[in-house]
Amino acid sequence: MANATSVLHVSPVIPVVTIDDPQHAVPLAKALVEGGIRIIELTLRTESALTSLKLIANEVPDILVGAGTVLTPGQANAAVAAGAQFLVSPGVTPSLLDHLLTLNIPVLPGVATVGEAMAVLERGLDTMKFFPAGPAGGPDYLAAIGAPIPQVQFCPTGGISLASAPAYLALPNVSCVGGSWLTPRSAIENQDWQQITKLAAGTASLWME
């Protein structure tokens, strides 16, 4: 159950979202669903993140909600208790990975090097987050490591835009990408849910043509 293969195939793009005001959580999630995106990674970077996560889990059943920026076992437990359906970490330590593997939930541990990917692969997971994708080498790096470890599937995140996403998605070892361009901070602050729906629809349509 820890392997996140099913999560990586929900959408070509996983919106990576930071929500400051929990009142924005449900309308934002509904806006993504209306635009054809049925998955969201909500980062645990704010004090109210777990409240936002719980609201989405309870009130927007049409979206798969995950918790991102999971740094500790305690955060992982709290996210699962709040209703997270998958967990994402920016990187992973042996103790955090040990704990994630005990949870009955898909997990995407973050890696940035071949050695880190091999260490996670040794523990039985072949789906991982590649972060920070842009600074860590981008599509060229992922293409290069696809030869020695072709069994690993990645979700690159970090510095990816609508313009650069296709280069990642063209790689055989990339199932999806994570990005924040679908939910601009200005649109969230202005509660411009129509803009988010429009961005989601435009992104989803690119891979339906």
Side-chain angles (χ1 to χ4, degrees):
M1 185 64 175
N3 223 47
T5 303
S6 60
V7 173
L8 295 190
H9 289 93
V10 173
S11 167
V13 180
I14 299 178
V16 180
V17 186
T18 300
I19 298 176
D20 295 309
D21 185 346
Q23 292 185 4
H24 296 159
V26 169
L28 185 153
K30 288 182 175 178
L32 288 171
V33 171
E34 188 176 342
I37 302 293
R38 297 179 175 272
I39 187 169
I40 183 173
E41 177 192 328
L42 185 63
T43 70
L44 302 183
R45 298 178 187 175
T46 65
E47 291 183 3
S48 60
L50 290 173
T51 300
S52 295
L53 194 156
K54 188 172 184 178
L55 286 168
I56 294 173
N58 289 342
E59 299 185 32
V60 193
D62 292 331
I63 201 165
L64 189 71
V65 58
T69 322
V70 175
L71 305 178
T72 67
Q75 283 184 319
N77 292 343
V80 172
Q85 294 164 286
F86 64 96
L87 301 176
V88 185
S89 67
V92 71
T93 62
S95 59
L96 178 58
L97 186 57
D98 284 344
H99 186 75
L100 292 177
L101 290 172
T102 68
L103 304 175
N104 190 31
I105 188 172
V107 297
L108 273 177
V111 301
T113 68
V114 175
E116 291 171 2
M118 290 172 61
V120 172
L121 188 61
E122 279 186 353
R123 301 301 305 279
L125 296 181
D126 59 13
T127 54
M128 307 171 201
K129 172 176 178 169
F130 178 62
F131 177 83
D140 289 345
Y141 183 93
L142 283 171
I145 67 175
I149 47 173
Q151 66 271 50
V152 177
Q153 284 292 304
F154 294 100
C155 176
T157 303
I160 298 177
S161 66
L162 179 60
S164 63
Y168 288 95
L169 291 168
L171 299 174
N173 59 345
V174 171
S175 297
C176 63
V177 299
S180 58
W181 77 83
L182 290 86
T183 56
R185 181 169 289 276
S186 60
I188 298 174
E189 291 174 350
N190 296 327
Q191 300 181 58
D192 189 352
W193 312 126
Q194 223 173 14
Q195 182 188 357
I196 290 175
T197 292
K198 184 178 179 180
L199 289 168
T203 298
S205 69
L206 287 177
W207 289 277
M208 293 171 56
E209 296 174 351

